Amino acid sequence: MRKYLIAGNWKMNTTAEEAMEISSKIKAAFPYDYNKIAILLCPPFTSIHSVSGIIQGTSIALGGQNCYYEPKGAFTGEISINMLGHLGCSHIIVGHSERRKYFHENDDIINKKAIAVLSGNLKPIICIGETLEERQEGKTFDILQTQLEQCLKNISTDNSEKITIAYEPVWAIGTGLAATPAQIAEAHHFIRQKLIEIFPVHGQQILIQYGGSVDSSNCKSILGIENVGGALVGGASLKPDVFIDIIKSAEFYVGV
Ligand code: 13P
């Protein structure tokens, strides 16, 4: 049976009140014992507590969009993994391309974060993906290989079960122009082969999400592609009806 994780990355959007409104609508669409598709909401830090109150008792999970790798101390403005765990988060997104682009995070920092998230008993969603320029120069697979090797350095076989990879081609994020099914299939196949090389025991099972302009018009075809284990949804996850459609479209493939 195929497994999916559909995650909403709300980025820097929603006040606590808005976040409660969105999460209430999502919760209303799924019975308390819903377990066909794993659902994850990643609100901004300031809304996590409020969303947690709304989804309490459901199977909807909570995640952070970022974290710092040090456990505590004089790091003004940063958020620790333990803080997110105590708010009820099970996952943390690390290495999103917006973190790489605007906040100068590199593979080394992302690797430290991924290892720290695992040490804190949370699950990292590690983002990788090429820019348009890199794709046009024919460097897509070199970039994916380097990002995977560097970001997954020193992660133990035991912990490899807990990671998710999100393939997010940078040029498809927020553009309304998702990668084509052929491009997604090719990239996910490549990532799968690398994961098996790096983690011979669990590499075949690691979820690989696709992210980049996923919406209600393309989700069904994207989620049907081999090696696609879910979606990391940005803009469309702020629209409850669309996000619910995306989750329900995955049900088709788990034989519901
Ligand atoms: P969009 O779905 O808005 O393209 O964003 C994708 C993304 O960056 C999810 O992390």
Side-chain angles (χ1 to χ4, degrees), residues 166-170 172-173 179 188 209-214 222 230-234:
Y167 170 59
E168 299 207 301
V170 179
I173 295 177
H188 280 240
Q209 294 178 309
Y210 167 78
S213 297
V214 175
I222 290 174
L232 185 51
V233 187

Side-chain angles (χ1 to χ4, degrees), residues 9 11 93 96-98 127 168 172-176 211-214 232-237:
N9 173 9
K11 307 192 179 184
I93 300 170
H96 192 280
S97 66
E98 287 146 18
C127 302
E168 299 207 301
I173 295 177
T175 58
S213 297
V214 175
L232 185 51
V233 187
S237 70

Side-chain angles (χ1 to χ4, degrees), residues 45-233:
F45 295 136
T46 46
S47 297
I48 291 177
H49 181 66
S50 311
V51 173
S52 158
I54 300 286
I55 62 172
Q56 204 170 22
T58 74
S59 57
I60 300 171
L62 261 180
Q65 299 174 14
N66 179 37
C67 61
Y68 194 48
Y69 51 77
E70 293 291 350
K72 60 158 101 166
F75 303 104
T76 302
E78 292 298 310
I79 302 278
S80 79
I81 292 148
N82 189 37
M83 292 169 190
L84 290 171
H86 275 261
L87 279 176
C89 291
S90 55
H91 291 70
I92 304 181
I93 300 170
V94 297
H96 192 280
S97 66
E98 287 146 18
R99 302 291 319 166
R100 294 176 187 259
K101 178 175 176 191
Y102 299 116
F103 305 100
H104 314 294
E105 291 191 14
N106 58 27
D107 290 335
D108 189 45
I109 292 174
I110 295 158
N111 176 243
K112 283 190 173 127
K113 290 188 177 189
I115 289 174
V117 171
L118 289 163
S119 311
N121 285 323
L122 273 72
K123 298 176 183 169
I125 297 178
I126 303 170
C127 302
I128 60 170
E130 79 288 357
T131 63
L132 183 58
E133 199 184 359
E134 288 160 347
R135 177 164 279 270
Q136 286 169 342
E137 289 172 359
K139 294 184 186 157
T140 298
F141 298 112
D142 289 345
I143 295 292
L144 296 181
Q145 173 157 347
T146 305
Q147 290 179 337
L148 283 170
E149 285 173 357
Q150 298 303 310
C151 295
L152 298 175
K153 238 180 354 194
N154 300 323
I155 291 181
S156 68
T157 299
D158 286 354
N159 273 335
S160 65
E161 272 187 296
K162 298 178 199 145
I163 64 174
T164 296
I165 300 293
Y167 170 59
E168 299 207 301
V170 179
W171 48 273
I173 295 177
T175 58
L177 197 78
T180 65
Q183 289 168 325
I184 297 173
E186 187 184 45
H188 280 240
H189 174 77
F190 179 83
I191 293 166
R192 174 68 68 215
Q193 296 315 308
K194 289 291 145 206
L195 289 174
I196 291 169
E197 267 175 51
I198 300 171
F199 300 116
V201 182
H202 300 301
Q204 185 66 49
Q205 280 80 48
I206 293 172
L207 284 185
I208 310 171
Q209 294 178 309
Y210 167 78
S213 297
V214 175
D215 61 27
S216 43
S217 71
N218 59 23
C219 55
K220 193 158 175 206
S221 69
I222 290 174
L223 292 167
I225 298 168
E226 204 177 342
N227 288 309
V228 171
L232 185 51
V233 187

